Amino acid sequence: MTAQQQRCRLAAFDFDHTIVAQNTDTVVRDLLPNEVTGPSARALNELVENWTLYMAEIFRLLHEQQVTEARIRDTIRCIPEVPGFVRLLKRLKRLNFHLIIISDSNSVFIDEWLKAHHLTDCFKAIFTNPAEFDEKGQLHVRPYHQQTECKLSASNLCKGRVLEHFVIEQDLRHNIRYDQVFYVGDGHNDICPVLRQRACDFACARQGFAMEKHLVKNRNKFKLRAQLLVWKSGFDLLEQLNALPQLHWLNECEDAIGLRKAAEDARRASAATVVPVKGANIEPEQ
């Protein structure tokens, strides 16, 4: 007997300058005590076109300069959110969205930040460059994959391919079909995934950043099918999402659940209230 198909909504997020207000790689790179000179500087200049290899060398230099694992983790935890994004993510989770991250950061940075902000359980999957600290405290990073087909993406991560494969896998393996897919990003490498979206989906681009500028300037050239939402903050994006007719019934369901919970809490509070009788030693049950 075939299991009944589950229908829901998917929100896919970039990480740097989307969920967090800065670029995690450059924030950690700035922990280098002094400007790098000599052979190391030349090596970095040669690697800068391949960002993952460049950051691997940065991590080696940080270890060489005795920048500890604890300091790197502390630095990541202290990066501020883009205003309103913690609230946005928790709201979408309550509305039974499936949430994923597709990012060119790395697994250590993303896991550390999410853990610090109590968001780990919000995400169904995270697609990023694998990373780990070795026993000596040096951070190592590897490319998520290698690709040459997509010219809009870096060689180590085509976000469009990742998003497409995830949606197909959910359908074929888990019998989950997404009625709408929301992709939220800011950068040039966030254009590829939205060009693979359907007309019923939403491309959510941060105002003033590369993704929005390129999509607006080249909309006819790109032949974007998804509906474009331009956002300034998590608060702004949440307000726009709440206003979508497609989500009205979800908001109404949550409001109804909230009202029922409030009524139940009030009933329990009323039942627990005991009016003392004069002369009696009565205490509420604990």
Side-chain angles (χ1 to χ4, degrees):
M1 183 177 178
T2 304
Q4 185 177 2
Q5 188 175 64
Q6 180 183 351
R7 304 185 73 93
C8 53
R9 288 167 173 80
L10 173 68
F13 294 86
D14 174 46
F15 192 66
D16 293 339
H17 291 297
T18 297
I19 293 177
V20 297
Q22 296 167 277
N23 183 306
T24 48
D25 283 340
T26 56
V27 167
V28 171
R29 181 189 63 186
D30 291 345
L31 294 176
L32 282 172
N34 302 302
E35 185 178 351
V36 178
T37 58
S40 294
R42 289 195 296 274
L44 286 175
N45 288 334
E46 291 171 1
L47 292 172
V48 74
E49 293 300 320
N50 188 319
W51 191 256
T52 308
L53 292 178
Y54 172 82
M55 287 308 302
E57 178 63 11
I58 290 292
F59 297 149
R60 187 192 68 79
L61 290 171
L62 286 166
H63 183 67
E64 188 178 87
Q65 295 287 334
Q66 299 182 344
V67 177
T68 65
E69 174 182 343
R71 188 176 176 199
I72 291 173
R73 290 185 182 277
D74 286 344
T75 299
I76 291 297
R77 285 196 295 269
C78 291
I79 297 175
E81 64 168 322
V82 170
F85 256 79
V86 170
R87 180 180 178 182
L88 169 67
L89 294 170
K90 291 181 176 180
R91 168 76 170 180
L92 293 180
K93 178 67 173 177
R94 288 201 306 272
L95 291 175
N96 295 318
F97 273 67
H98 288 179
L99 308 182
I100 65 172
I101 289 173
I102 310 174
S103 168
D104 204 11
S105 180
N106 68 68
S107 57
V108 167
F109 291 174
I110 294 174
D111 291 346
E112 191 68 36
W113 195 90
L114 293 179
K115 191 187 307 178
H117 292 78
H118 309 290
L119 294 170
T120 304
D121 293 340
C122 285
F123 292 94
K124 192 172 186 67
I126 297 172
F127 303 95
T128 188
N129 301 303
E132 66 280 321
F133 284 96
D134 64 21
E135 66 280 359
K136 296 179 181 179
Q138 180 176 336
L139 184 57
H140 298 270
V141 63
R142 304 185 306 280
Y144 176 78
H145 59 209
Q146 293 289 351
Q147 67 87 27
T148 56
E149 297 83 10
C150 180
K151 304 305 179 185
L152 290 171
S153 304
S155 62
N156 64 292
L157 179 61
C158 173
K159 295 184 176 185
R161 184 203 291 183
V162 170
L163 179 62
E164 202 168 58
H165 285 188
F166 177 80
V167 171
I168 292 171
E169 181 182 53
Q170 290 295 102
D171 188 5
L172 296 180
R173 290 193 178 184
H174 307 291
N175 212 20
I176 296 171
R177 178 70 60 86
Y178 293 116
D179 290 330
Q180 278 96 32
V181 175
F182 297 78
Y183 185 88
V184 186
D186 72 285
H188 186 272
N189 65 354
D190 295 310
I191 294 174
C192 175
V194 302
L195 295 184
R196 304 190 189 210
Q197 290 182 295
R198 306 159 298 178
C200 61
D201 296 331
F202 292 84
C204 307
R206 189 175 183 186
Q207 187 176 62
F209 285 71
M211 179 186 179
E212 183 245 348
K213 290 177 180 178
H214 285 293
L215 287 177
V216 171
K217 182 178 179 182
N218 303 297
R219 187 160 189 171
N220 292 331
K221 173 187 172 183
F222 284 142
K223 297 180 180 177
L224 179 69
R225 290 177 295 172
Q227 301 170 68
L228 179 62
L229 294 181
V230 177
W231 56 274
K232 300 176 183 178
S233 68
F235 299 116
D236 173 43
L237 182 53
L238 180 57
E239 186 175 336
Q240 292 190 58
L241 295 181
N242 283 335
L244 293 175
Q246 296 91 331
L247 301 187
H248 276 174
W249 72 272
L250 287 173
N251 291 315
E252 289 169 1
C253 287
E254 189 186 41
D255 290 343
I257 291 170
L259 287 172
R260 286 199 298 270
K261 184 177 183 302
E264 179 64 18
D265 289 345
R267 187 192 65 77
R268 289 177 179 172
S270 177
T273 303
V274 179
V275 179
V277 177
K278 186 176 181 180
N281 184 17
I282 302 175
E283 295 181 1
E285 294 181 2
Q286 299 298 313

